[in-house]
Amino acid sequence: MTTVLIVDDQPLQRFGFRMLLASNPDTEVVGEAAHGAEAVRQAAELRPDVVLMDVRMPGMDGIEATRRIVAGGGRSRVLVLTTFDLDEYAHAALRAGASGFLLKDALPEELLAGIRAVAAGDAVIAPSLTRRLLDTYARQLPVRPHDRTADDDPRLRSLTDREREILIAIGKGWTNAEIAERLVLSESTVKKHVGRVLAKAGARDRIQAVILAYDLGLTRPNSP
């Protein structure tokens, strides 16, 4: 059973999510919040597996709420719901520690699958889709050059040369199969490398590894 906290300032939106999740035998709604501060409090109190987080809310928005929930070090993972083509905060939400995002007009089965994936510790979005999102928004952010400062980052120093290659490949949006083909490795070996990279880099999931690669200047929009 996956426990879920619903966070949205629209009562009808919360009601719709609750009805969907209540009809699914594998999910249980343990709480609802109408704004970010309430979401942070309930996440700490209820410790849900997944926080279904709206971005645009009065007072504390979903980005700050996500940051505080993740910083709290609890078990809860955040799945952000966004109007992708309108919501310029999607990238910031991922940087704040969200484990993925979905469009608000996602099909019910897509939302349920996303909740299951996040609860299991996986990223909701395929790497290629993640890359497209980051390419869209990274141009609005300062570009950090790949320089000695980045090389001195302790998260990079802890990686072997091969693991660094894997991190760069993740940042480019390559799937495990693509990494295996291009680096001439087996998929099982790639999977092990990816796991070690995530652990050493302190990344909660693959999306956070992509964010790290961008932040350190290891990859840039449309880099090959």
Side-chain angles (χ1 to χ4, degrees), residues 4-97:
V4 181
L5 170 65
I6 300 170
V7 184
D8 199 294
D9 64 328
Q10 299 294 324
L12 283 177
Q13 189 79 71
R14 295 198 305 272
F15 177 76
F17 289 143
R18 175 179 282 277
M19 291 295 290
L20 172 64
L21 297 176
S23 68
N24 179 55
D26 299 327
T27 53
E28 176 188 3
V29 176
V30 293
E32 295 183 17
H35 54 77
E38 187 179 358
V40 174
R41 180 184 63 79
Q42 289 203 38
E45 178 182 334
L46 301 173
R47 301 180 72 242
D49 297 314
V50 177
V51 179
L52 203 57
M53 180 74 74
D54 187 22
V55 172
R56 300 186 180 192
M57 294 180 290
M60 183 188 297
D61 63 18
I63 295 172
E64 181 59 27
T66 296
R67 185 179 294 112
R68 295 191 186 192
I69 290 171
V70 173
R75 57 180 287 178
S76 303
R77 293 179 176 271
V78 180
L79 174 58
V80 170
L81 294 176
T82 177
T83 51
F84 169 70
D85 53 346
L86 298 175
D87 195 345
E88 67 273 21
Y89 301 121
H91 182 274
L94 292 176
R95 292 185 66 188

Side-chain angles (χ1 to χ4, degrees), residues 159-160 163 189-202:
L159 301 180
T160 66
E163 289 166 352
T189 298
V190 170
K191 186 174 181 180
K192 291 177 182 177
H193 279 310
V194 169
R196 284 196 288 266
V197 167
L198 296 183
K200 289 184 177 181

Side-chain angles (χ1 to χ4, degrees), residues 2 15 22-23 32 43 85 95 99 109 114 117 129 136 138 158 167 174 182 193-195 200 219:
T2 299
F15 177 76
S23 68
E32 295 183 17
D85 53 346
R95 292 185 66 188
S99 294
E109 57 267 26
L129 294 179
T136 299
S158 68
L167 175 58
W174 295 357
R182 299 190 190 200
H193 279 310
V194 169
K200 289 184 177 181
T219 187

Side-chain angles (χ1 to χ4, degrees), residues 96-109:
S99 294
F101 61 91
L102 286 174
L103 302 182
K104 275 200 171 183
D105 61 358
L107 296 173
E109 57 267 26

